[in-house]
Amino acid sequence: MPSLLPAYSSIYSGIAKALEAFPERHEERSSHKVRVALAQRRLAKDTQAPRTVKTVASPTSAAVSAMKSKQRPSRKRIIVIAPGAGTRANGQVYADLCQGESFKIEVLGHSCAIYDRYPESWQHGAPAPNLSSFALEVAGDAMLADCLVLGSRGGQVVLPKLWEAVGSALPPAVVINGGCAMNLPEAICWPSEAVTFLLIGGCDHLFRSNMTPEEYMVGTQQCVPATNQSTALLYINEMEHMPQSHLFALILPHLLRICMAWKRRVEMAPLRELQCLLTELNSCRGEWTGCLSFTTGAGWTDVPFGNQRTLLSQGTCKVEYGQRQGWIHSPTQCKAAVGAFSN
């Protein structure tokens, strides 16, 4: 009888192989079930009723422009006191400045109006209505400005009257012809924290009279109280009583920025803005010459400008353009630079 062991051994080996393979197949089935379950879940989600989604309407053009206007910084409100400020001769300068994005210009009063005359304390003055009574009428509106612009008789009468009424709370002021810094019939109550930029010209034969440039500048400086440390003075040799339009357009934005920056921090001169003004003047390649002066804790700091940079009677020195840019960093450096120019 033939032996059955070889046959059984082959069967056993096949069963053993099947048993060995069973766990692997079980794992494959388990993983397959998992994949199917995941697919069913995804399918169930896809077949569910769609959820309601809130839609946001696109903003209208008006809303977009309103949003943009909020993002843009608001334009600074500049109030011009008309009598003496050149609203006719330099009216286009004011109009062009208003077209930009930095300033909006408002004019108070009119030249040659019934009140456009000196008060009784002045020679040939007249009773109210006059410039003194006009100042009291516009004081409330003037307080709404970020900066004031006055000129000639406006600086002589209106500004001192506004100081008398509201003191150092008055907004900063650009004073064409420096009328408030003169020997006037009435004493001026110049506030110690008033921010003022005085603009005077060497060809202003009405206010300069027969004074030398040095006498004119020093006399103007001496009218500013020693307690005040927030006043700047720009003397331009070529400027007339009514500033030439192209000169006025060049410097007025800088004068306004200097005043407003100084008002924000009255205890420190705005050196960066002052430097920008000097850079602008020096870029004209000698068309405008003179001296920028401003108060500090140690008194006045004088900085000459122009191709032939002159510090009044202290001498002259030709300087190549661009070599002195950026040297205003402190009053000490300013004085050192002035000494270099005056050799």
Side-chain angles (χ1 to χ4, degrees):
M1 182 175 181
S3 176
L4 297 177
L5 289 177
Y8 284 124
S9 62
S10 62
I11 293 172
Y12 290 148
S13 63
I15 293 173
K17 290 180 180 179
L19 291 174
E20 290 175 358
F22 179 78
E24 183 177 353
R25 291 174 185 172
H26 179 71
E27 290 176 2
E28 290 178 358
R29 289 174 183 173
S30 299
S31 62
H32 175 70
K33 288 181 179 180
V34 171
R35 290 196 298 270
V36 171
L38 292 175
Q40 287 176 341
R41 289 180 185 178
R42 287 195 296 268
L43 182 62
K45 288 184 179 181
D46 293 340
T47 56
Q48 287 178 354
R51 291 177 296 175
T52 303
V53 179
K54 293 183 179 180
T55 58
V56 180
S58 58
T60 62
S61 58
V64 171
S65 60
M67 292 169 60
K68 289 183 178 180
S69 63
K70 288 183 178 180
Q71 294 174 355
R72 288 197 303 263
S74 59
R75 295 192 298 170
K76 298 302 181 181
R77 187 178 188 180
I78 310 302
I79 290 183
V80 180
I81 306 298
T87 52
R88 294 181 181 179
N90 282 321
Q92 190 60 48
V93 175
Y94 291 119
D96 292 343
L97 190 65
C98 194
Q99 295 301 315
E101 296 185 354
S102 299
F103 308 104
K104 55 181 178 181
I105 307 295
E106 299 178 21
V107 178
L108 291 182
H110 301 277
S111 296
C112 302
I114 189 173
Y115 48 76
D116 190 4
R117 55 186 184 175
Y118 288 100
E120 290 179 292
S121 58
W122 288 67
Q123 186 178 8
H124 308 301
N130 52 37
L131 290 170
S132 184
S133 62
F134 169 71
L136 297 178
E137 290 178 6
V138 301
D141 292 326
M143 290 296 294
L144 301 176
D146 291 298
C147 190
L148 300 172
V149 178
L150 308 96
S152 192
R153 54 198 180 276
Q156 290 175 313
V157 180
V158 178
L159 181 58
K161 201 66 178 179
L162 292 174
W163 278 339
E164 182 182 324
V166 300
S168 59
L170 189 73
V174 173
V175 187
I176 307 166
N177 315 120
C180 58
M182 300 177 67
N183 185 18
L184 302 176
E186 297 182 13
I188 295 181
C189 299
W190 196 310
S192 59
E193 294 189 354
V195 176
T196 316
F197 200 114
L198 309 172
L199 175 63
I200 61 177
C203 294
D204 184 353
H205 303 298
L206 182 62
F207 278 19
R208 177 186 165 187
S209 187
N210 295 322
M211 290 183 286
T212 65
E214 184 174 24
E215 290 172 342
Y216 190 24
M217 269 203 72
V218 172
T220 302
Q221 291 174 343
Q222 289 176 344
C223 290
V224 180
T227 56
N228 181 278
Q229 297 183 14
S230 49
T231 299
L233 169 63
L234 181 63
Y235 171 83
I236 302 177
N237 285 305
E238 299 80 9
M239 194 185 88
E240 302 171 359
H241 182 76
M242 181 61 65
Q244 296 90 316
S245 294
H246 62 296
L247 168 63
F248 196 50
L250 180 76
I251 63 176
L252 181 57
H254 293 285
L255 308 188
L256 296 172
R257 293 189 184 100
I258 290 169
C259 283
M260 290 185 290
W262 215 335
K263 186 67 173 180
R264 289 193 295 269
R265 194 175 181 184
V266 72
E267 71 278 2
M268 181 176 294
L271 299 181
R272 183 180 65 178
E273 287 78 8
L274 289 166
Q275 176 64 74
C276 289
L277 171 62
L278 285 173
T279 301
E280 190 78 75
L281 289 166
N282 285 322
S283 69
C284 297
R285 305 195 66 81
E287 182 179 5
W288 310 111
T289 61
C291 185
L292 171 65
S293 184
F294 56 95
T295 54
T296 64
W300 287 88
T301 295
D302 299 325
V303 185
F305 62 87
N307 187 25
Q308 188 80 9
R309 299 188 180 183
T310 307
L311 185 58
L312 304 177
S313 64
Q314 296 185 23
T316 62
C317 176
K318 284 189 177 180
V319 180
E320 294 296 330
Y321 289 99
Q323 290 187 356
R324 294 291 181 179
Q325 301 299 324
W327 46 260
I328 291 188
H329 297 294
S330 70
T332 302
Q333 289 180 322
C334 288
K335 291 185 176 181
V338 170
F341 286 140
S342 59
N343 291 333

